[in-house]
Amino acid sequence: MFFEAVPFQTLQRIWDCFLLDGLPVLFQFSVALLKYHEKALLKRKDILAFLKDTKLLARLTFDIEKIVEIVKINRDTFPSWSWIQERQAHYMKILRKVYEEQEKARKEFERQEGLNQHNSKPSMKELTGSEHDLLIDWATEFSPGKLLVCRSDVKQGWISRVDVQLRTKENLGVRMDSRVMCITMAGENLMLVGTLSWYLYAYTINTREEVWCERLRDTPLCLEYDPVTQNIFIGLSDGTLAVIESVSTTHPNEVFYHAIGAAPVRSVVKVPDLEQLWCSCGNAVNILDSSLNIINGFEVSRSPNIHISYMVLNEDGVWIIIRGSPVLTLWDPALCLCILLYDTSTEQAAGWKRLNKDQSIHTPR
């Protein structure tokens, strides 16, 4: 505890107090560190900046005498160890319930997708076989008229480069020993690949070489790159949003995780005009601001078994695709309302002005 989090001389004093007074000291010093840096931390409104500054300021806490003084002054106001244990038991009960819901959502997701988990680290090696018997799992545009297309199954995946205008396909010459779940471009030359085995790969298009690999908390299902901040937002199957700041060819220093819901986060869309991030989680969409705080949301269905499979942003709004449904819905990001229903099976559309209250699928939360 506190190892590599504070300077060594500060660590020594904390451990001296810990050996003398026991476990409550660790909680007291944690609160004292936050109190010591309270003014600086309260200036941060962004969650990621708050977490980064908390770690940075803790490493610069050399005034251990001041920290000890804060602990002494507030010793009587600190809760008892029995109260802390009672609170821990209470929150563990809540976390177990959330975990059970996540496991149910995971099993349902794996059942729908026909997936088997593989936790071993996959490798990227030279392509030795043909991928023509595999289905196309993912495709993304990396330049006008040029696509990256992935064919894969549970145990393998191949990535090809397709030129739509020339009608040609070029294999990139690498094989992945796990199913590819998502692909996106981070700039002109860096491609990010998320796999079933919980890994996020980055490699360059020109050299076709892997530049770094990061193991995530769970399987990545979608990737959204912000060209302004160069941040990458990753939707995970455990219902959390992973964030990597300033993505480049160098290995990221840290991955931040932000809880969204119990169901898998299957799609993430950045709405730059409103500085919003739309995250689909089961049958709901959670809308986050630039600080990753949930500011709004809605449900596309009252049934928890209906899942949003994909979201796309264009000049008309955000298109939402529901798994197993022929109906596409178009949402106005500013009003957070469904403005169009389009049935692909009958090629019929209905605007939101012609829908009465009972017909509307919009359910504010």
Side-chain angles (χ1 to χ4, degrees), residues 198-213:
W198 301 17
Y199 279 86
L200 180 67
Y201 286 99
Y203 69 93
T204 58
I205 297 295
N206 294 338
T207 62
R208 307 178 186 183
E209 294 180 354
E210 178 187 328
V211 291
W212 55 264
C213 174

Side-chain angles (χ1 to χ4, degrees), residues 115-124 150 152-157 159 175-183 192-203 213-216 218-223 234-237:
L115 303 179
N116 294 318
Q117 279 289 0
H118 294 273
N119 292 331
S120 59
K121 181 181 183 298
S123 61
M124 300 184 69
C150 175
S152 65
D153 59 15
V154 173
K155 297 182 179 180
Q156 56 186 333
I159 301 174
R175 174 179 179 268
M176 306 191 70
D177 293 341
S178 182
R179 180 176 178 179
V180 175
M181 303 300 295
C182 47
I183 302 176
L192 302 177
V193 182
T195 65
L196 177 63
S197 52
W198 301 17
Y199 279 86
L200 180 67
Y201 286 99
Y203 69 93
C213 174
E214 178 71 26
R215 190 177 193 275
L216 302 172
D218 213 311
T219 300
L221 302 179
C222 59
L223 301 169
I234 312 163
L236 303 182
S237 61

Side-chain angles (χ1 to χ4, degrees), residues 2-35:
F2 291 101
F3 185 72
E4 293 185 348
V6 294
F8 183 70
Q9 57 268 37
T10 304
L11 176 66
Q12 284 182 310
R13 188 66 177 275
I14 294 175
W15 272 83
D16 286 342
C17 297
F18 164 67
L19 295 175
L20 179 64
D21 295 330
L23 287 175
V25 167
L26 300 180
F27 177 78
Q28 293 169 1
F29 272 97
S30 298
V31 176
L33 285 170
L34 293 175
K35 183 68 176 178

Side-chain angles (χ1 to χ4, degrees), residues 277-331:
L277 193 69
W278 286 37
C279 301
S280 69
C281 188
N283 65 339
V285 174
N286 291 288
I287 302 176
L288 284 63
D289 60 14
S290 58
S291 299
L292 298 185
N293 297 312
I294 298 179
I295 57 174
N296 205 347
F298 57 87
E299 296 176 348
V300 298
S301 171
R302 298 186 185 277
S303 173
N305 297 323
I306 293 179
H307 291 265
I308 298 171
S309 61
Y310 200 62
M311 298 188 297
V312 180
L313 174 69
N314 68 0
E315 63 274 9
D316 299 317
V318 178
W319 291 90
I320 295 180
I321 302 171
I322 301 174
R323 182 180 178 87
S325 173
V327 178
L328 304 179
T329 61
L330 177 63
W331 293 77

Side-chain angles (χ1 to χ4, degrees), residues 19-283:
L19 295 175
L20 179 64
D21 295 330
L23 287 175
V25 167
L26 300 180
F27 177 78
Q28 293 169 1
F29 272 97
S30 298
V31 176
L33 285 170
L34 293 175
K35 183 68 176 178
Y36 182 75
H37 299 291
E38 181 179 10
K39 292 183 179 179
L41 293 175
L42 289 179
K43 294 179 181 179
R44 298 291 180 263
K45 297 182 180 180
D46 186 283
I47 293 178
L48 298 182
F50 181 87
L51 295 175
K52 290 172 63 178
D53 284 1
T54 300
K55 294 182 178 181
L56 177 62
L57 292 172
R59 295 190 183 103
L60 299 176
T61 307
F62 294 95
D63 191 358
I64 183 58
E65 297 301 330
K66 181 64 176 179
I67 300 297
V68 172
E69 181 182 348
I70 295 175
V71 172
K72 290 180 179 179
I73 294 175
N74 297 278
R75 183 180 294 273
D76 295 336
T77 62
F78 280 116
S80 64
W81 183 241
S82 60
W83 185 90
I84 295 175
Q85 289 180 316
E86 181 183 345
R87 293 293 91 192
Q88 287 178 338
H90 172 72
Y91 287 116
M92 283 299 297
K93 184 178 180 180
I94 296 176
L95 289 175
R96 288 192 186 98
K97 184 177 180 180
V98 173
Y99 177 76
E100 291 174 358
E101 293 177 355
Q102 290 178 341
E103 283 300 303
K104 290 180 181 178
R106 177 199 294 277
K107 291 179 181 179
E108 176 63 20
F109 171 74
E110 292 179 354
R111 185 191 67 80
Q112 293 179 2
E113 298 289 343
L115 303 179
N116 294 318
Q117 279 289 0
H118 294 273
N119 292 331
S120 59
K121 181 181 183 298
S123 61
M124 300 184 69
K125 54 189 179 182
E126 293 299 320
L127 179 63
T128 57
S130 172
E131 80 278 14
H132 298 298
D133 295 334
L134 303 178
L135 299 177
I136 294 178
D137 256 342
W138 201 270
T140 186
E141 186 179 40
F142 69 94
S143 64
K146 296 182 180 180
L147 305 175
L148 291 173
V149 178
C150 175
R151 295 174 179 267
S152 65
D153 59 15
V154 173
K155 297 182 179 180
Q156 56 186 333
W158 286 268
I159 301 174
S160 303
R161 181 164 47 188
V162 176
D163 192 315
V164 178
Q165 296 178 348
L166 299 179
R167 299 182 181 180
T168 60
K169 185 187 77 168
E170 177 190 5
N171 203 303
L172 293 183
V174 291
R175 174 179 179 268
M176 306 191 70
D177 293 341
S178 182
R179 180 176 178 179
V180 175
M181 303 300 295
C182 47
I183 302 176
T184 194
M185 292 296 298
E188 297 180 355
N189 190 41
L190 187 66
M191 183 177 72
L192 302 177
V193 182
T195 65
L196 177 63
S197 52
W198 301 17
Y199 279 86
L200 180 67
Y201 286 99
Y203 69 93
T204 58
I205 297 295
N206 294 338
T207 62
R208 307 178 186 183
E209 294 180 354
E210 178 187 328
V211 291
W212 55 264
C213 174
E214 178 71 26
R215 190 177 193 275
L216 302 172
R217 182 182 293 179
D218 213 311
T219 300
L221 302 179
C222 59
L223 301 169
E224 178 73 5
Y225 176 70
D226 186 352
V228 178
T229 62
Q230 297 182 339
N231 295 345
I232 185 71
F233 302 95
I234 312 163
L236 303 182
S237 61
D238 66 348
T240 60
L241 179 71
V243 183
I244 300 178
E245 295 184 302
S246 303
V247 174
S248 65
T249 55
T250 59
H251 195 281
N253 295 325
E254 195 167 8
V255 181
F256 298 95
Y257 295 94
H258 187 61
I260 300 298
V265 179
R266 298 198 183 202
S267 185
V268 178
V269 169
K270 178 76 174 181
V271 184
D273 293 342
L274 301 176
E275 295 186 352
Q276 293 179 350
L277 193 69
W278 286 37
C279 301
S280 69
C281 188
N283 65 339

